[in-house]
Amino acid sequence: MFRKTFTRLTHLFAYLFHRREVENGLDDELRSSFEMMAERRIAQGLSPDEARRLTRMEFEGLDQLKERVRDGMAGAGVQTMFRDARYAWQGVRRHKSFTFISVLMLALGIGATTAIFSIFYAVLLHPLPYDKPEGLAVVWANLRSAGTVRAPVSGAIVRELQNHSRSFSGVAGIWTITRTIRGDNPEQVKAAMVTVNFFDVLGVRAQRGHTFEKSEEGGPAIVLTDGLFGRRFAGDWSLMGKALPLQGGSNTLVGVLPANFQLHFAPDANVPRDIQIFDTFPADVYSGRDQYFIRVICRLKPGISMAEAQHDADRVAKEIRAKYAEYDRDDLQFTITGMQADAVRDVKPALDALFAGAVLVLLICCVNVAGLLVARAGDRRKEMALRLALGASRGRILHQLFVESAVLCAFGGVLGAALGWAGFRGLLAIRPERLSNIGDARLSWPVLALAAVSSLSAALLFGLAPALESFRMDIVATLRARDRSWIVRLHRRSGNLLVIGEVTLAFVLVTGAALTARTLSRLQQARPGFEPRSLLTFQIGGMKTNEIAGWESRLATLPGVEFVGATSHLPLDTDIPNWYSPYEPEPMTENHGATFISDLRCVTPGYFAAMGARLIAGRYFDRQDRANSRQVLIVDDLLARTTWPGQSAMGKKIRAEHVTRNGFEPISGVVVGVIQHLYNHSLAKAVRGQIYMPFEQSPRSPLTFVLRTRVPPLSLAPPIRRMLHDTTPFAAMAKIRPMTEYVAREIAPSGFTAVLAAIFAGLALLLAVTGIYGVLNYQISQRMPEMGIRMALGASAREVVRLVFKETLVLVGTGLLLGAAGALLVARWLAAFLYGVSPRDPMSFALALLLLPAAAFLGSLLP
């Protein structure tokens, strides 16, 4: 066995690298055999000419015999592949226009698919940078009696999950805050309080020192990210175990996290990915039952599925409801979701749609190139017939055709990968913040594999039509220039299908692009309840409560400032965790049996005027609403309608959570004003009602200040910095931005989707025009004799042209009907991220009905 294998390898090496010597040896051997057989016949009494004639007949031709011998030699298949590739390359050079169009179409399809899949893979499929990330899940509370889903939980619920769940090896929680680094240049940074096992559950280890230990719960221990440690503290490892100059209690540095550490939560979790300081919850956090603020993650035990974990969480929720009356009243439930799936839930529908659009573009490109190859196969039928007549097998012809298609696809794949790379870099430049986890600009192996698979699939598809023709070919009739009818029928039928398919796919893409563009337009015109223009915002930490009023007065003296206010939670700012909790109208009635939940905000008196909020009834807060005066509230119209339907909210009492010296406590207040709802969470929907309380009656930090200006907002940033440094040197500013930037950030994902959808729709229209042109041009060229006969029999040129357009109209109409049906199905899928637009929007469908026939007309005009 070994000797046989060694012999074949030796022959393969000789055939591949010493082919001339092998060919010469084969010629000598065949010539010697020929002469021996001829001499044997001469010895039998035949003349030399007769002996040679009979020998040649027995050999059946030296060239054919040599070909059979070569086919049986080791390495013959490789050599055949090289020969076919060389022949295909010659064809590529001879037909430059055909090659250019085919390669360009294929490259556009592969490039678009590769670029989008790069985003798709990085955001949706690339594993999170944690140990065994597939085992991580997020736990959300559902308070069904209040209609609240995806809510954080209380400390008591965290403890119940830790103690009674059977599917989790660890349950941890996080709550984000801000902290100020003191010093000559104070700095406000994002921070978080976590359970001591938070990093253990994530599977993250410190690069130096350690993460939290059980003995450090509620203690001074803090952990920093590598970025903050290197930037602010110069990477000085001697600080390990020492206190750092942080505002807000004692602290001791115990560990520094790896350089690539980031958090990955959904935007509505209000957990920023760039938190820089971590400390631990106090031990008494687990006793709190009425404050829902902790975001929970868990790690599943090995072998436990998400479905099993959900079933276990349902059991724990039932036990909690039986143990605590308030949770039973809220009808507490849990939702378990994979951490990665939860983090991308808001962008996944858009990315799925974009990836589907890229695949449709690739299909249209493949359809076009297949049509070109079918047309070319008709022109090459005599060549195929001649090769068959000379002894080539149909399998050999099939192999040649596939190699030719593969060469085209290789060029298209390489150019498509290059276009995909360029497109990916372009997408990185315009990507919205919610896609910031795309990471480094590179094409990963799965993406390159997609380009290779696309090219290979295209090669098989493109080689299929001409291969079928070679199998059905009548050699004699083809060589006599007859038997054209079935070829014409084949191309006409396939061409008709190609036109219908292109129009159908293009209709779906154009409709989808129109729907996303209309959504973007509606979002840009949305009225969020405030006026974002001419509004400067910035956050301040480290300022005492009794300093706020004086600071606002000084800001009001700046040139160009009209109004000044501050709030605990700026609309559309997802960095600060949302503050919401149950509230109770007083007195409670049977109509108020359900739990009410609202957003809570503390604001200074000038906030609503600065934001441009519209007062519906009552008044704004004023300087008389102080800590020791009557407790007052302002509510929005959404809360007023749902709490007191058909009644005025003015003078009504509400018991709601306030910030006091003892923490969060429910306090009763009187409604003195009703404002129009402010869209705090999303421009697209009102999440819940809102209760506002005076800052001095419920002081909470940090505060975000808003300044209504008559000058460009950012021009005020330098004097505000100087004023803060001169008056309050220990306070720190952060997030100095115009309000329009928050609005633009909220709109950015829809804009990103709309831009890509428009690109796909434009490509689809361009490809539809070229595809229809190619198909009709070939079909009409084949029908020239028929048209000549029609005109000879009396038909006018206009009637012939009308005939062509009529046939085209039938094909396009069929494609439009199929495309409309497909678009309706796709639109139902897109409905999740449409805003202000129906999935069956008449204008979007009308645009497709207008553009596609126009594209078909352009494609059929010149033929």
Side-chain angles (χ1 to χ4, degrees), residues 174-224:
I174 182 173
W175 178 49
T176 56
I177 54 176
T178 60
R179 300 191 69 172
T180 301
I181 303 176
R182 296 184 177 275
D184 295 335
N185 184 24
E187 179 183 357
Q188 189 177 167
V189 296
K190 298 171 186 176
M193 301 184 74
V194 298
T195 55
V196 291
N197 66 336
F198 181 77
F199 295 106
D200 295 333
V201 171
L202 279 182
V204 174
R205 300 180 183 275
Q207 65 163 309
R208 191 73 173 263
H210 63 270
T211 55
F212 300 117
E213 298 175 349
K214 180 63 178 176
S215 60
E216 295 169 337
E217 184 175 50
I222 62 170
V223 172
L224 302 184

Side-chain angles (χ1 to χ4, degrees), residues 190 433 535-538 573 575 713-714 734-742 745:
K190 298 171 186 176
E433 183 178 341
L535 199 62
L536 178 68
T537 70
F538 56 89
D573 185 355
D575 288 345
L714 288 177
K735 297 160 61 176
I736 306 175
R737 303 168 184 167
M739 190 66 208
T740 51
E741 185 173 323
Y742 287 97
R745 185 175 66 176

Side-chain angles (χ1 to χ4, degrees), residues 555-578:
L555 289 174
T557 64
L558 290 173
V561 174
E562 294 182 324
F563 299 101
V564 178
T567 179
S568 58
H569 292 74
L570 187 70
L572 306 179
D573 185 355
T574 58
D575 288 345
I576 299 178
N578 189 35

Side-chain angles (χ1 to χ4, degrees), residues 290-319:
D290 56 354
Q291 297 171 22
Y292 298 82
F293 66 101
I294 301 176
R295 280 69 177 169
V296 176
I297 62 171
C298 61
R299 181 171 288 277
L300 275 59
K301 292 180 179 179
I304 298 295
S305 66
M306 287 293 172
E308 293 170 327
Q310 180 64 62
H311 182 74
D312 185 43
D314 293 340
R315 176 190 58 80
V316 175
K318 183 177 179 180
E319 294 178 0

